[in-house]
Amino acid sequence: MGNQNNNINDTNKSDNTQEDKFGQAIDFCVRNVRYIAVAGLFVVLVIVLAKGLKDRNGGNQDRDLPVASTESLMEETETAAEEAFLQDAYPEVNDLIGKYYKAYAKGNTKKLSKLAKPLTDMEKSYISVFSEYVESYQNISCYTKSGMEAGSYIVSVYLETKFKDVETVAPGLETFYVRTDPESGALYIDTLYGQFNAKMKENEVDEAVAAFLSDFNKQSDVVALETDVWQKYESALAADENLKTMVDNTVPDAMTVWAHDQVAAAKKAEEEAAAEEEAAKKAAEEEAAKKAEEEKKAADQASAVTVYAIDKVNVRSQPSETADVLGQLEPGSQTTRFEDKDGWSRVDYNNGTQGYVKSEYLSTEQPAAPADTPAEDTPAEENTGAKKYYSEGEVITLTETVNVRKSMSEDAEKVATAFAGEQVTVILSYAEGWTKVNYGDKTGFIKTELLR
């Protein structure tokens, strides 16, 4: 966590050995910039201080650092144009910072969201992981200067991090931009200008504020304070090997794992979102197709007309004499016409299958069925009990098992087998000695002489 100089505009790079493990996390995130918007990975409080001061001095660890005390340098800046630091001068600022670090040490992101905003889900995740290694933050002191607007402050916070199972505390410095909420009048930390967003770039910043903070980082008393804390930090690491291991290895390793987990979670979320989008798109297409089909059926029903074939005619798949033949309508057979266009009728063929018939072969008038031959002229009927013709709608109970065929031919495809005792409903009897019937949900032809 944390930031000692909040350098929003400048991207510092360092190849210091102490930060090699964080460099690995940085490289990883840069390779996965599609999933985590980073220009570099943030570092924890105690590492930030080391990185910032080394970068400020060109990465040269042997370069002499200012040796003047914090007090003397602060006295010099008071005579210059720069505004001097005020240490612990604003109780309300100290109260905000104290509550912030207390919640941070506990990983209480719900509480932190009220003190620092906007607090993104990714930063909350980071806090939850980092806080597992922190026992408490101690000896907090606030060095404050005025912010850009009324009711705002730049606060450089000195604090000492007590890591779990480590005796020596780690001195550190973190800078916040504190503002006043115009609605409640309460102070809050603007996380847009914190170290996390500076590295992760999850939210855009006000360039004017960013430039203001960049100028602040160059002021002599700010540099002096950083130098003083850096020297304390170096001494602490030199005095306690456990502390050095914690900040050089344990925490960086944990943060590297965290970065990998963030990428994996982001990729998974993206894949799930894409799958959901695809499913929603498919469902919408299916719904649209279903609606179009229902509308078509409704339109067909509204325009449906009963017609009869006046001759044996082909039923085709398209309104063209070269289209595939689906079957044939026998003379006098009944069907439903849904559309009559350009000399072709779109009709219901074979219970739901639609096809096209030349309109000139269809009539809306039902052809008259031939009259039944008188009984005395048909000895066969007297002997067999069969009739030559049956009326439309007449229900016949079969006395023997018969084949129901697709057309009027004993060689035609068999549609079904109707068994003795079952019933068929007559559609139309033909002179060719066949009767078109409905048998259950099927339609076909049975030899008329077999209908007894």
Side-chain angles (χ1 to χ4, degrees):
M1 65 163 284
N3 168 36
Q4 128 284 355
N5 59 17
N6 294 62
N7 198 333
I8 303 294
N9 289 328
D10 302 327
T11 301
N12 295 322
K13 295 182 180 179
S14 173
D15 59 358
N16 295 311
T17 302
Q18 187 176 11
E19 299 198 37
D20 283 348
K21 293 182 182 296
F22 275 98
Q24 295 171 11
I26 292 171
D27 293 340
F28 177 75
C29 288
V30 169
R31 290 196 303 272
N32 292 276
V33 68
R34 178 183 178 189
Y35 302 101
I36 298 182
V38 296
L41 189 62
F42 53 89
V43 288
V44 297
L45 177 62
V46 293
I47 304 295
V48 167
L49 183 60
K51 180 178 187 300
L53 288 175
K54 288 178 182 177
D55 288 342
R56 188 185 290 279
N57 289 277
N60 185 354
Q61 299 185 51
D62 297 327
R63 179 173 176 175
D64 292 336
L65 295 173
V67 295
S69 67
T70 303
E71 286 84 5
S72 64
L73 286 173
M74 289 177 64
E75 288 174 359
E76 291 178 10
T77 58
E78 289 177 356
T79 62
E82 298 172 357
E83 177 187 354
F85 269 133
L86 295 177
Q87 184 176 0
D88 298 327
Y90 301 97
E92 63 274 23
V93 171
N94 280 54
D95 182 60
L96 170 67
I97 300 301
K99 290 178 178 177
Y100 174 84
Y101 279 111
K102 184 177 181 180
Y104 206 115
K106 294 181 179 179
N108 188 344
T109 55
K110 184 176 181 181
K111 178 69 173 179
L112 286 171
S113 296
K114 298 178 181 178
L115 303 171
K117 53 189 178 182
L119 201 62
T120 65
D121 289 341
M122 189 181 294
E123 187 168 3
K124 289 177 182 178
S125 173
Y126 167 72
I127 292 169
S128 297
V129 174
F130 182 71
S131 62
E132 293 178 4
Y133 299 89
V134 176
E135 184 176 302
S136 64
Y137 296 103
Q138 305 172 2
N139 299 323
I140 298 173
S141 187
C142 298
Y143 294 83
T144 307
K145 291 190 180 187
S146 300
M148 282 189 64
E149 68 276 0
S152 66
Y153 307 90
I154 304 178
V155 185
S156 290
V157 181
Y158 172 81
L159 72 162
E160 295 170 353
T161 304
K162 175 66 172 66
F163 288 102
K164 294 177 180 178
D165 301 322
V166 178
E167 183 176 349
T168 305
V169 297
L173 195 69
E174 184 168 14
T175 300
F176 297 107
Y177 194 55
V178 174
R179 285 177 148 162
T180 300
D181 189 318
E183 295 183 1
S184 66
L187 294 178
Y188 71 95
I189 297 169
D190 190 340
T191 57
L192 292 179
Y193 306 97
Q195 178 68 11
F196 193 93
N197 192 54
K199 295 298 182 183
M200 303 304 286
K201 301 187 183 302
E202 288 192 273
N203 294 300
E204 293 184 2
V205 300
D206 185 323
E207 292 300 328
V209 176
F212 184 79
L213 289 169
S214 181
D215 290 340
F216 165 84
N217 291 326
K218 300 171 186 176
Q219 295 176 15
S220 58
D221 54 349
V222 175
V223 176
L225 182 59
E226 292 173 353
T227 301
D228 185 41
V229 178
W230 161 250
Q231 292 170 343
K232 292 178 181 179
Y233 167 78
E234 284 281 81
S235 298
L237 261 62
D240 192 333
E241 188 63 29
N242 289 335
L243 177 60
K244 184 174 177 59
T245 299
M246 175 64 74
V247 300
D248 283 356
N249 299 101
T250 306
V251 174
D253 286 347
M255 292 303 100
T256 300
V257 171
W258 174 87
H260 280 74
D261 289 344
Q262 289 297 302
V263 171
K267 287 182 178 179
K268 182 179 179 181
E270 184 181 78
E271 291 169 356
E272 290 176 348
E276 289 178 2
E277 183 179 352
E278 183 63 26
K281 180 181 179 182
K282 184 177 180 181
E285 290 174 350
E286 290 176 350
E287 182 63 26
K290 181 180 179 181
K291 183 177 180 181
E293 182 63 24
E294 290 175 349
E295 290 176 350
K296 182 177 179 297
K297 287 182 178 180
D300 284 346
Q301 293 300 320
S303 61
V305 176
T306 299
V307 293
Y308 303 88
I310 60 177
D311 201 346
K312 188 171 185 177
V313 61
N314 290 327
V315 181
R316 298 185 180 273
S317 61
Q318 298 293 329
S320 168
E321 292 183 358
T322 59
D324 293 339
V325 176
L326 301 179
Q328 292 180 326
L329 294 180
E330 299 295 333
S333 59
Q334 174 185 320
T335 188
T336 300
R337 178 166 61 194
F338 302 115
E339 183 181 33
D340 186 358
K341 182 179 180 181
D342 299 330
W344 288 88
S345 291
R346 178 164 56 87
V347 301
D348 179 22
Y349 173 69
N350 198 19
N351 290 328
T353 301
Q354 293 190 6
Y356 293 84
V357 174
K358 292 279 285 186
S359 298
E360 62 189 85
Y361 294 102
L362 299 175
S363 172
T364 56
E365 296 182 5
Q366 182 177 6
D372 289 343
T373 303
E376 55 271 25
D377 294 333
T378 55
E381 183 175 320
E382 292 179 358
N383 296 329
T384 64
K387 297 165 60 177
K388 288 186 177 181
Y389 298 99
Y390 291 89
S391 303
E392 181 184 4
E394 187 174 348
V395 178
I396 300 173
T397 300
L398 299 174
T399 59
E400 60 182 291
T401 298
V402 297
N403 291 324
V404 182
R405 298 191 179 276
K406 191 170 183 179
S407 61
M408 292 187 290
S409 170
E410 292 182 359
D411 297 324
E413 178 185 342
K414 186 169 67 174
V415 175
T417 299
F419 296 94
E422 294 185 315
Q423 293 183 328
V424 296
T425 302
V426 174
I427 296 176
L428 187 67
S429 290
Y430 297 90
E432 289 84 354
W434 291 83
T435 297
K436 188 175 184 180
V437 300
N438 281 330
Y439 169 61
D441 59 352
K442 301 182 182 299
T443 300
F445 295 85
I446 297 176
K447 292 198 70 171
T448 304
E449 65 185 38
L450 301 178
L451 296 175
R452 302 176 181 174

